[in-house]
Amino acid sequence: MTRWGMVIDTDRCNGCGACVVACAAENNVPWVGEEQAAKGRVMHWLRLERYVEGDFPNVRVRFLPVLCQHCGAAPCEPVCPVYATYHNEEGLNAMVYSRCIGTRFCGNNCPYTVRTFNWFDPEWPEPLDRQLNPEVSRRPAGVMEKCTFCIQRIHEARDRAAGEERELADGDVRPACAQSCPTRAIAFGDRDDPDSEVSRLAATDRAFRLLDDLGTDPAVTYLRGRALAPETGDGDG
Amino acid sequence: MAERPAHATVPSPRTAGSSSVLELVGPSPKLLLGSAVTGLLVLLLFLAWGYQAKNGLGVAGINRPVFWGFYIVNFVFWIGVSHAGTLISAILRVTGAQWRRPLTRCAEAITVFALMIGGLFPLIHMGRPWLFYRMLPLPDYRELWPNFRSPLQWDLVAIFTYLTGSILYLALPLIPDLALLRDRYAGQHPVLARLYRTLALGWRGTHRQWRALDWGIRILAVAIIPVAVSVHSIVSWDFAMTRVPGWKSTIFAPYFVVGAIYSGIAMLLFTMALLRRGLRLERVLTDGVFDKLGLLFVAMSMLWVYFTFSEHLTTWYGGDVAEARVHHELFHGPLSPAFWTMVVVNAIIPLAVLPFRRGRRPLPIALVSLGVVVGMWLERLLIVVPSLSVPRLAYTVGSYAPSPVEIAITVGAVGLFAFLYFGFVQLFPIVSAWEVREGEVEEEEHAREVLAAEEPA
């Protein structure tokens, strides 16, 4: 059985933001404009958190791309009264948009605050409206949404592999964020396959998971940064 | 039924028809004006809601991370207020408190209307209220059930149960009074006569009917108490079952129930004071009634202070980082004026005024009650917003300010409550005529017995 997972190397991430843009383009994430963004209504499924480490002059900025962690024990799932968010058999924390009635309980209970809500009907200013992805449904006002691990790409890769009469291989599925990352900081694959890239990376001693002590069992693993410049000697993690 | 000598004295409801309470039923210029003004607020409520439904929830001030705002505050507040009636009146009935007689009806009506408004708010709050039916366990070709693990689903069950129970609990003791009204309006006013005839359910005041009524009220009074307690416990679990710092608390259920009864008594006392003054009910809603209910009020006040103190003391002492951020938000954040106002109106003023007999007279107690009603609303605000505005990942810290739409709907809900109440007062006796009469009869009997016992000596 496949169990999808992601590994993000914080040492490689330079905060360019290509993943955020690629995600929005791939998944028809609505554009909200400055005014709404200032009110905390940005719809991005992936955000770059910026942390400054060390004291001047030995400072270093680190970036943490935060997206839905597809928790194994997801706090958002049990609180939804209508099963609009549920766990699928491949470890994805899936959303059924058409089922959602918009109680926003899942958004409150997500410790990572990665769920977004459609406060208005979505809009895309010219020319963004011409590049909507036909593989991804548009979400109406009143519906919660969040990162899906590009489930449409998983389906497509599986279909292609089936057409070629072979098993799905490691690297067949690449979410938009991973594909667009110029430093290859994001790896995606099957956590149940011990030889997959994600399994190998997640087994290193740099691996950590966000807010792991909450027991949410996230499917996203981060690789902590190696030490800073030798003269400071600190900043590990 | 030894404890109901009223049957003997009141063989037919007609003989009790002289009760002055029944004269209050019917419109008056003052009440009609009240209906008109509050009717405008109801209009405001539905216009604002319509505007929101058309344009999207973005017209409210909620955002990420503060996904819940005024609507949930109002929901918790009104469900809390609903504990005025049914619970208080049920406890007083079960314990046989005689001074309950003039206030039960008034309290039970508060429950029904506050619950209706409380139950409306989840719909206003929803992103897609027209799909509300998906929370109902309807047969579905996909065999998809609602998620019974969700506290919101428990809420739905609890509120429907409580609403059904409290409507029954309001309607049952109303029957003899409705029969009196039916007889009074027979042949006079075709519409009203028909209404009262239908609602009186063929009441004739026979011994069998009184017995059935007596048992019905008793069973409901006992059954409704655990229902009321469970409702606000479940409302608290909408918060306490989550992992949100400041919400995840084991004492939330009893804390919410205590707060609910506290705000309920406050709303009841305030309403009673208005009714007493507006309808000149000084003879029925006596100073003594206010004094007795005031004692219950001060007890609830102390309980509320105790719970609030315990809740904040333990989390503060524990020093958990996430909890400490919520505390900082409460004590020093943008809502800290609300916190300190709440402390003054919910703790300091009631505890300074209510322990004294003069403080429990109708006017001072009405003012204290109004303060507590406002304070309890603020308490709900302070539970909902500060916890949400400081999520665990500091990068998403947010803030919340209500939009005009949210304020209009909040004010409109108060208007809707008053509108329903004004309507009720004009259509039904706001003081239970037969129960008051029964009390009078019992007192007369008692006096006669005492006299009879004294005579031979």
Side-chain angles (χ1 to χ4, degrees):
Chain A
M1 197 75 211
T2 320
R3 211 156 49 96
W4 297 109
M6 184 177 274
V7 177
I8 299 174
D9 189 340
T10 58
D11 248 359
R12 283 174 177 264
C13 178
N14 62 11
C16 71
C19 51
V20 180
V21 176
C23 169
E26 167 74 16
N27 293 299
N28 299 339
V29 174
W31 175 91
V32 298
E34 270 177 53
E35 194 191 317
Q36 291 297 316
K39 282 187 181 172
R41 290 171 176 178
V42 171
M43 301 291 298
H44 295 157
W45 288 1
L46 170 59
R47 67 169 180 265
L48 278 171
E49 297 197 353
R50 188 176 58 192
Y51 295 97
V52 179
E53 277 179 359
D55 293 315
F56 183 81
N58 291 318
V59 288
R60 174 167 176 177
V61 176
R62 280 196 189 280
F63 297 95
L64 199 65
V66 179
L67 65 162
C68 173
Q69 307 286 305
H70 291 268
C71 305
C76 56
E77 287 168 9
V79 297
C80 175
V82 293
Y83 285 117
T85 187
Y86 71 104
H87 223 68
N88 82 1
E89 57 275 20
E90 298 192 344
L92 296 183
N93 173 243
M95 271 298 297
V96 188
Y97 302 122
S98 58
R99 184 104 182 125
C100 177
I101 57 174
T103 67
R104 307 188 287 293
F105 204 174
C106 55
N108 284 345
N109 211 17
C110 172
Y112 307 98
T113 329
V114 290
R115 289 177 158 269
T116 62
F117 184 71
N118 285 276
W119 301 100
F120 296 105
D121 268 322
E123 54 175 303
W124 292 271
E126 284 269 347
L128 290 178
D129 56 334
R130 297 194 209 161
Q131 58 99 59
L132 290 176
N133 186 352
E135 302 290 331
V136 179
S137 56
R138 292 160 49 153
R139 285 79 60 184
V143 168
M144 273 327 262
E145 59 180 66
K146 57 156 201 84
C147 163
T148 61
F149 270 176
C150 285
I151 191 168
Q152 67 281 4
R153 292 191 174 206
I154 296 175
H155 290 320
E156 198 223 329
R158 178 156 294 140
D159 286 351
R160 195 167 346 107
E164 291 165 11
E165 292 177 351
R166 61 176 175 86
E167 289 290 303
L168 208 54
D170 192 36
D172 271 357
V173 183
R174 291 182 83 193
C177 53
Q179 184 187 20
S180 62
C181 180
T183 58
R184 299 188 175 208
I186 304 176
F188 184 81
D190 182 4
R191 288 192 290 155
D192 269 359
D193 171 7
D195 299 324
S196 70
E197 190 186 5
V198 286
S199 295
R200 281 185 286 114
L201 287 173
T204 63
D205 57 359
R206 292 168 60 213
F208 75 99
R209 296 192 295 181
L210 210 51
L211 303 177
D212 206 11
D213 55 337
L214 292 178
T216 49
D217 187 21
V220 177
T221 305
Y222 291 88
L223 301 182
R224 65 169 54 87
R226 294 188 183 87
L228 282 180
E231 60 267 27
T232 67
D234 63 357
D236 207 333
Chain B
M1 298 280 92
E3 69 275 29
R4 191 179 297 291
H7 297 169
T9 337
V10 194
S12 135
R14 267 160 240 250
T15 41
S18 57
S19 180
S20 62
V21 175
L22 284 187
E23 305 296 330
L24 296 169
V25 177
S28 77
K30 233 194 293 186
L31 290 174
L32 283 176
L33 182 71
S35 287
V37 171
T38 52
L40 286 177
L41 292 177
V42 176
L43 200 65
L44 177 72
L45 166 70
F46 286 98
L47 282 178
W49 189 11
Y51 177 76
Q52 175 182 290
K54 186 171 179 294
N55 291 287
L57 261 172
V59 300
I62 28 184
N63 54 56
R64 185 173 81 170
V66 189
F67 281 114
W68 290 1
F70 263 31
Y71 301 145
I72 293 296
V73 175
N74 288 328
F75 162 69
V76 182
F77 171 76
W78 283 109
I79 301 285
V81 165
S82 79
H83 283 55
T86 310
L87 188 58
I88 294 163
S89 112
I91 290 171
L92 296 180
R93 267 191 223 273
V94 170
T95 53
Q98 289 299 316
W99 54 274
R100 72 164 197 275
R101 296 182 183 278
L103 65 82
T104 48
R105 176 79 40 81
C106 164
E108 287 150 17
I110 292 181
T111 294
V112 171
F113 299 142
L115 257 184
M116 286 176 173
I117 292 161
L120 191 65
F121 270 104
L123 295 178
I124 299 176
H125 163 87
M126 264 180 204
R128 303 201 288 177
W130 48 90
L131 298 179
F132 152 79
Y133 66 88
R134 288 190 182 162
M135 283 182 71
L136 305 176
L138 299 172
D140 180 316
Y141 72 95
R142 289 172 300 180
E143 297 184 349
L144 196 54
W145 285 83
N147 183 2
F148 291 108
R149 294 178 305 167
S150 170
L152 296 185
Q153 199 64 45
W154 312 344
D155 253 344
L156 181 94
V157 175
I159 290 170
F160 267 120
T161 310
Y162 192 34
L163 186 61
T164 313
S166 49
I167 289 176
L168 283 176
Y169 191 63
L170 171 69
L172 211 56
L174 199 58
I175 292 175
D177 283 2
L178 287 167
L180 293 174
L181 286 168
R182 170 196 64 197
D183 300 343
R184 210 173 96 176
Y185 280 93
Q188 276 188 32
H189 196 299
V191 180
L192 283 179
R194 198 188 168 87
L195 173 77
Y196 295 130
R197 192 169 62 240
T198 312
L199 293 178
L201 302 173
W203 178 265
R204 286 280 171 273
T206 64
H207 186 70
R208 222 178 123 242
Q209 286 181 331
W210 277 113
R211 244 177 79 95
L213 182 75
D214 200 50
W215 273 105
I217 293 175
R218 270 185 213 207
I219 290 168
L220 268 180
V222 171
I224 206 86
I225 294 173
V227 172
V229 170
S230 75
V231 168
H232 226 65
S233 301
I234 288 173
V235 169
S236 88
W237 291 335
D238 287 347
F239 303 94
M241 290 293 174
T242 68
R243 321 202 47 157
V244 177
W247 284 3
K248 195 161 88 67
S249 160
T250 51
I251 70 164
F252 252 36
Y255 182 30
F256 269 52
V257 173
V258 163
I261 302 174
Y262 189 31
S263 67
I265 297 186
M267 185 62 100
L268 176 58
L269 279 163
F270 185 66
T271 314
M272 275 165 53
L274 288 185
L275 288 171
R276 175 179 145 113
R277 210 176 149 74
L279 299 175
R280 313 247 46 102
L281 283 173
E282 285 86 351
R283 260 177 2 97
V284 190
L285 291 169
T286 57
D287 284 13
V289 174
F290 281 85
D291 186 60
K292 293 241 172 46
L293 194 57
L295 285 174
L296 202 55
F297 194 32
V298 73
M300 293 317 294
S301 181
M302 287 191 279
L303 262 179
W304 181 86
V305 170
Y306 168 63
F307 267 99
T308 307
F309 179 72
S310 315
E311 161 75 8
H312 290 307
L313 177 72
T314 48
T315 45
W316 169 78
Y317 193 95
D320 179 274
V321 181
E323 302 273 7
R325 284 222 303 275
V326 178
H327 270 136
H328 187 270
E329 193 71 7
L330 267 182
F331 302 144
H332 309 289
L335 283 174
S336 60
F339 181 81
W340 298 113
T341 310
M342 173 191 85
V343 170
V344 171
V345 297
N346 271 7
I348 295 174
I349 294 179
L351 291 182
V353 173
L354 296 178
F356 304 99
R357 185 174 279 272
R358 287 176 64 185
R360 295 194 300 271
R361 291 171 56 83
L363 181 66
I365 212 170
L367 295 175
V368 172
S369 302
L370 185 62
V372 171
V373 169
V374 173
M376 284 309 297
W377 189 89
L378 291 175
E379 194 231 37
R380 290 9 180 147
L381 177 74
L382 292 164
I383 284 171
V384 174
V385 173
S387 287
L388 287 179
S389 45
V390 283
R392 280 203 169 77
L393 291 179
Y395 210 79
T396 48
V397 163
S399 63
Y400 167 75
S403 75
V405 174
E406 280 166 303
I407 294 169
I409 287 179
T410 303
V411 173
V414 178
L416 178 58
F417 178 74
F419 181 75
L420 292 169
Y421 218 87
F422 273 116
F424 185 81
V425 168
Q426 290 170 63
L427 280 174
F428 303 101
I430 194 63
V431 174
S432 181
W434 70 270
E435 280 180 284
V436 170
R437 179 86 191 110
E438 184 189 65
E440 288 168 5
V441 170
E442 272 176 27
E443 249 173 56
E444 281 163 22
E445 294 261 318
H446 183 66
R448 217 173 294 140
E449 273 166 30
V450 171
L451 277 178
E454 278 171 359
E455 254 168 30

